[in-house]
Amino acid sequence: MAATETALGDRLRLAGGDAMCPQRGALEHLTSRWGTLVLIALLDRPYRFSELRREIGRVSEKMLTQTLQTLERDGMVHRDAKPVIPPRVDYSLTDLGREAAEQVRALACWTDLRMAAIEKARQEYDAAKA
C-alpha cells in the first residue's frame, strides 16, 4: 500500500465523533444510497429533475433534492436553471463529478460481477453464526 493510501486510511479512521475529516464527509456523499445512483445516471446525460427521479426510481422528491444540493455543494453536479416559463432546471456532472462518477460506477460494476461470491460469503457467515 502506498504511503498516501496509508495516510488517507489513518485520517479516515482517526476522525471520530462530529469532527469528521473532510475526506470522510465527501466519501459519504459520493457513496450514499442516492448519491451513487445520481452520479451513475448523470454519466449518461444531463437530466431534468423529474426525469432523474424517474430514472433512479423510488427516491422521494425531498431526498433527491437534498442529494443534488449536497453533490452540487461538493462540486460534483452542475445545476442549470433556465429563465423560462415554466422553469426548466437541468442537472449534469462537472468534470470533478464525472471523474468521481466513473469511480463509483467501477465499484458498482465490480459489486455486480462479484455478487455471487458476496452472497456465498453471507450464507457461510450466517450458517456459522446459527
Side-chain angles (χ1 to χ4, degrees):
M1 185 181 300
T4 56
E5 291 170 338
T6 302
L8 175 60
D10 290 342
R11 286 195 305 273
L12 292 173
R13 235 183 344 276
L14 295 174
D18 293 331
M20 284 196 324
C21 67
Q23 293 89 344
R24 184 183 283 189
L27 187 59
E28 286 179 5
H29 298 160
L30 297 172
T31 59
S32 71
R33 177 179 184 180
W34 303 116
T36 298
L37 296 175
V38 165
L39 290 169
I40 292 172
L42 290 175
L43 266 171
D44 293 335
R45 63 179 180 86
Y47 279 91
R48 294 178 72 176
F49 184 89
S50 57
E51 291 177 312
L52 185 58
R53 187 168 178 215
R54 280 191 300 275
E55 176 69 20
I56 292 172
R58 296 197 298 184
V59 60
S60 70
E61 188 172 321
K62 179 182 178 182
M63 276 310 308
L64 183 54
T65 298
Q66 289 176 349
T67 300
L68 287 166
Q69 287 173 343
T70 298
L71 293 173
E72 183 182 7
R73 182 174 182 255
D74 286 350
M76 305 294 161
V77 169
H78 174 71
R79 181 181 185 273
D80 183 20
K82 307 251 193 287
V84 295
I85 298 186
R88 179 183 173 109
V89 180
D90 293 310
Y91 295 92
S92 60
L93 293 174
T94 63
D95 289 342
L96 184 64
R98 179 161 299 283
E99 185 179 343
E102 288 168 353
Q103 298 296 317
V104 169
R105 181 175 57 186
L107 181 59
C109 290
W110 176 87
T111 304
D112 187 47
L113 289 173
R114 302 302 291 160
M115 199 61 222
I118 293 167
E119 287 175 347
K120 182 180 179 209
R122 287 175 177 173
Q123 291 169 355
E124 290 171 359
Y125 178 89
D126 292 346
K129 290 290 184 182

